[in-house]
């Protein structure tokens, strides 16, 4: 499989060439165009029960689409995301990644799509009770609102809520105030994610919640 992420960083899209016999699984609605000879099958995301958990408690789609090349010629497929921003690809090689709601786009290879309990701390941060988890050996594509930064955490790291895109399961999330009660309110920072552990995280440069807060007063 060959891929090329074009129109970075603001309007990124994934241009994929599937060789005969190859396939890729993508979030429902991610396809923008494809060769008419590709075969598409729709199924529950990770299975029936995991799909329901991701839909109602994780903010993800209930279904995923698998695109297969059953011909003898290379065929093309274009995938994208609903938000304006960058797209990244990681080769797992036995690693695991957990994704915030809406970040996952597609995966290929010997990878497994499932759910991971995120805890009530994640729910209080309005990021869902469950996180989408991808593990195995293969490629995973994910997107962000704005640019994407990969950062290695070794100890403790503070992230404003709404800016975390993906993280390795060795990273633990703890909610807290940016400062004291008064300082957190007057500074505008409020609740933050205090991440601890050793592993990689992926951050987005913009926050959808921040955009909503900015636009809401203008529609009153």
């Amino acid at each position: 499989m060959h891929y090329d992420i074009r129109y970075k960083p603001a309007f990124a899209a994934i241009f994929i060439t599937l060789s005969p016999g190859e396939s890729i699984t993508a979030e429902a609605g991610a396809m923008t165009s494809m060769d008419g000879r590709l075969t598409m099958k729709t199924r529950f995301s990770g299975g029936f029960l995991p799909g329901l958990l991701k839909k109602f408690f994780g903010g993800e789609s209930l279904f995923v689409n698998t695109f297969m090349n059953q011909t003898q010629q290379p065929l093309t497929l274009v995938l994208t995301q609903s938000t304006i921003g960058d797209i990244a690809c990681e080769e797992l090689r036995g690693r695991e990644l957990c994704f915030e709601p809406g970040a996952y786009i597609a995966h290929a290879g010997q990878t497994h799509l499932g759910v991971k309990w995120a805890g009530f701390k994640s729910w209080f941060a309005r990021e869902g009770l469950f996180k989408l988890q991808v593990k195995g050996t293969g490629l995973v594509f994910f997107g962000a609102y704005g640019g994407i930064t990969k950062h290695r955490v070794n100890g403790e790291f503070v992230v404003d809520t709404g800016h975390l895109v993906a993280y390795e399961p060795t990273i633990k999330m703890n909610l807290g105030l940016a400062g004291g009660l008064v300082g957190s309110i007057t500074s505008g920072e409020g609740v933050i994610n205090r991440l601890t552990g050793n592993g990689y995280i992926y951050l987005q440069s913009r926050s959808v919640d921040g955009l909503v807060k900015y636009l809401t007063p203008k529609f009153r």
Side-chain angles (χ1 to χ4, degrees), residues 38-93:
L38 280 173
T39 301
M40 185 183 76
K41 290 187 177 180
T42 302
R43 58 183 175 84
F44 287 104
S45 178
F48 178 69
L49 182 57
L52 289 178
L53 292 176
K54 283 182 285 187
K55 171 66 175 179
F56 295 106
F57 298 105
E60 297 288 347
S61 297
L62 182 60
F63 300 99
V64 292
N65 296 320
T66 299
F67 302 89
M68 298 168 288
N69 184 355
Q70 297 178 331
T71 72
Q72 299 302 313
Q73 297 178 339
L75 301 177
T76 59
L77 168 70
V78 180
L79 302 174
T80 190
Q81 60 178 343
S82 57
T83 58
I84 298 173
D86 205 355
I87 292 174
C89 176
E90 284 288 330
E91 187 172 358
L92 295 180
R93 297 179 181 177

Side-chain angles (χ1 to χ4, degrees), residues 100 103 125 127 143-149 157-167 173 189 191-193 195 201-211:
E100 295 296 300
E127 294 174 350
Y145 175 46
I148 298 177
T149 300
F157 192 70
V158 175
V159 178
D160 192 11
T161 55
H163 286 272
L164 186 65
V165 174
Y167 59 93
M173 180 187 303
E189 295 300 332
V191 178
I192 50 91
N193 287 330
L195 307 177
I201 63 173
Y202 302 81
L203 305 173
Q204 60 184 11
S205 61
R206 295 290 184 267
S207 166
V208 175
D209 287 341
L211 177 64

